[in-house]
Amino acid sequence: MATMKTARIHEFGDASVIHYDDVPRPRPDSGEVLIRVAASSFNPTEAALRAGLLQAFLPVDLPYALGWDVAGTVAEIGAGAEGFAVGDRVIGRLDGGGAAAEYVRAPAAVLTAAPKSVPLAHAAALPVAGLTAWQAVFEHGRTAPGERVLVNGAGGGVGGFVTQLAKYAGAEVIATAGPRSTEAVLRQGADHVLDYTARPVSTALDGPVDILLNLVPLSPQDAAALAPLVRRGGRIVSIATPIEPPLDAGVSAMHMVARNDVADLRALVDLVDAGTVCIDISSSRPLSDLADVHRLSQVGRTRGKVLVIP
């Protein structure tokens, strides 16, 4: 039986629990395809899953194969899987994980054609972060032309897409970023960048915003300082720490979890191929370095999206 390499955890813990196992190459079940993986990409939430912090609302069985983002080539098609042929380039979000491997089987229904304008491996950065950004900006933020949008955490993997999509929506984009991310955030379309390492965002902002899109974990004090920056009638959307507006502020607030939506993913692919959205790859690492990527993320030393190449 053919085997392959995959990155799995057999217990919860620090990055040392990631093992590189030889396992049988899977075969697609009904409605699935087998993908020869060109790349996966790292998402910080996977570090929380690895540590066992998500078991209350995202329980997984062990051993668990990591990797939610996939870009690759269809290698085999299961019975009843429609819309793809062997050799097609595809991307998708795999909620069951497994993309940090040489091959992975995936439901055909969650896949779409990869962008034609970028290297296939680069497209692995799009599904999880891109879907989160799309739904934050358009569905929950309801961003409209001329609005002022504060993107808190623009230097991260989701932040790059949020900045670009908010600009595409016609907003004035005010982004928070550290010095090493400022240049990239400006390239992605931010009108103003606030260096959160130099002074508090609450004192650096020159007036209220219509929308606050928060992408980073916050202390209660920091969350309380950001909430009053939103004008009456504005919106707060957070993918990390929930932010509650002051009482009687007239501000709506929500804590969102992105859903797997292949129609949204197709719309993102179209924007990539149109040149409207770029995919910012900060580095590419081999599968055998995935534990190091987890360690670097936990000490704040990653930027943008990191590819994982089998």
Side-chain angles (χ1 to χ4, degrees), residues 10-80:
H10 297 257
E11 60 183 320
F12 299 115
D14 63 22
S16 67
V17 302
I18 298 175
H19 293 270
Y20 307 99
D21 296 336
D22 291 300
V23 299
R25 184 186 300 175
R27 299 292 303 275
D29 286 338
S30 177
E32 295 180 334
V33 302
L34 181 68
I35 300 171
R36 179 164 56 86
V37 178
S40 185
S41 77
F42 171 73
N43 294 285
T45 310
E46 290 187 72
L49 180 145
R50 182 216 71 227
L53 302 178
L54 304 184
Q55 279 293 89
F57 62 93
L58 186 61
V60 299
D61 295 326
L62 299 176
Y64 180 81
L66 298 167
W68 294 327
D69 286 315
V70 69
T73 305
V74 174
E76 190 176 344
I77 300 176

Side-chain angles (χ1 to χ4, degrees), residues 3 88 104 211 215 307:
T3 62
D88 283 353
V104 65
I211 307 170
L215 314 176
L307 298 182

